[in-house]
Amino acid sequence: MAVKAWQAISSIVLITSVTVLMQIPSETWATTATASLILGASALACMASSCILASRWHGIEWSFGGLDRVYEAHKWIAIWALVFAAYHFVFKAELDSWDLASILELPKDWTRLVRQLGLVVLGTIVLLALNRNIPYGNWRWLHKLSGPLFLIVILHWLSIKSPITLTSPAGIWLALLCSVGVLAALYKIVLYPFISKAGEYKVAAISHGKAAVHLEFEPVRNGFPFKAGQFAFISLKESGLQEPHPFTIASAHSDTGHIHFVIRELGDYTKKLSKQVKVGMLANVYAPYGNFKRLPNAEREIWIGAGVGISPFISWQQDKTIGHFERATLVYCFNPSHAFPSVERMQEITDQSELQFVANPSGSDAMAETIRHAASDVDPKQVQISFCGPKGLLQKVRELMKENGIPAKNIHYEFFDFR
């Protein structure tokens, strides 16, 4: 069972609270000072955990059920770290009855400066991460500062007078988390571009649509194995296109090693990519990621792809490992003014796999009718829905599921946004 964000945060706070309480007299537990100490330590533990989640280690991805869930947890852990730190900054975390000492001695003025910088640093990191008005390229480089700035927060912990010693349970817990967090930050900033590269590719074919582009890559040497529905980070070796961006793979694994991507022009980078990409350009691909897979034992499947969200379902149709396409229906939600791939092209693809295809242009009730028909044709509890698209449409799908008695747990999707 995948770990959820609230479970990770609750576990961090629980372990931190228990280990901190072991260090102070029980008669002082119900005080603002104790709460400040616990929340200050929890903020540090959350920040270290946030660095670990940002590493893209496959073990972490597996634990949370996909890289999209990892980044969702990473965001919320960082937000709660700021909340905990704000309380810690306002209320003093010391009492006369506590045995106080600093782990690392610094001049008094430096200790105060590091304390103030700690909150400013954490607040800056979170606010920058949540500001969607910052262009992705600028945001990415600013966010990389999180690793080095994390060291300031660690220095604050080591330099303040506290009942937490380095050899105490709380000290060992925080030291372990911070050590792994620093290693994760170093890995992500320094080693990741070299260690996690799946391979070097070159652009083999380009097909432009309305505000979208279809790219086919061929491996320069060897391709990489992946499962239908997964995604990759692409970094083209061209000026202005080197930022790694995640895109769903719109093809199944093949012996040729070729991989396809359908990319919508939604931001500055994707618009620039669509205009500047040329056949023969080289790219580094970091992959595979994601856990968006077909459910092999589903009695009735409905696949709902909106716009560029159709990509994983194209790859699912090419993957013959599960088969049984007769029990699945693909609903293609699109804007008629800039549908890409075209409805005709999607009909051709589904005809080849014998999958039932339903076109759902903007304003159509075809998706609602498909869900209603499926819920009346079989037991609604046996209807499994796989979704890839924007949040607004996801909410609509959930409402339709509730209306037709399909359990909420029967929907499978990935988060679109990584910021």
Side-chain angles (χ1 to χ4, degrees), residues 15-54:
I15 296 172
T16 304
S17 300
V18 170
T19 55
V20 168
L21 291 175
M22 292 170 65
Q23 290 302 115
I24 56 178
S26 58
E27 59 270 17
T28 66
W29 287 2
T31 62
T32 57
T34 297
S36 180
L37 182 64
I38 289 174
L39 293 181
S42 295
L44 177 61
C46 282
M47 195 168 181
S49 300
S50 191
C51 287
I52 295 170
L53 294 184

Side-chain angles (χ1 to χ4, degrees), residues 75-89:
K75 178 183 72 175
W76 283 109
I77 288 174
I79 290 171
W80 279 104
L82 179 58
V83 173
F84 298 153
Y87 183 97
H88 175 69
F89 185 79

Side-chain angles (χ1 to χ4, degrees), residues 209-213 247 262-267 270-271 306-308 332 338-341:
K210 296 178 180 178
V213 62
F247 299 107
V262 177
I263 300 170
R264 178 75 63 190
E265 297 176 15
L266 296 175
T270 48
K271 290 177 182 177
V308 74
Y332 182 26
H338 53 263
F340 187 77

Side-chain angles (χ1 to χ4, degrees), residues 50-80:
S50 191
C51 287
I52 295 170
L53 294 184
S55 65
R56 294 184 192 163
W57 287 336
H58 286 289
I60 300 293
E61 182 190 10
W62 176 84
S63 299
F64 281 81
L67 196 62
D68 59 320
R69 265 65 178 179
V70 171
Y71 273 82
E72 185 76 1
H74 166 81
K75 178 183 72 175
W76 283 109
I77 288 174
I79 290 171
W80 279 104

Side-chain angles (χ1 to χ4, degrees), residues 149-193:
L149 293 177
F150 175 45
L151 298 176
I152 295 177
V153 182
I154 296 176
L155 185 60
H156 164 61
W157 164 50
L158 296 175
S159 62
I160 61 168
K161 290 186 177 181
S162 163
I164 300 174
T165 63
L166 200 56
T167 56
S168 67
I172 294 171
W173 162 245
L174 292 176
L176 179 63
L177 267 185
C178 289
S179 297
V180 178
V182 170
L183 288 174
L186 285 172
Y187 168 82
K188 181 62 171 60
I189 295 171
V190 180
L191 298 178
Y192 176 82

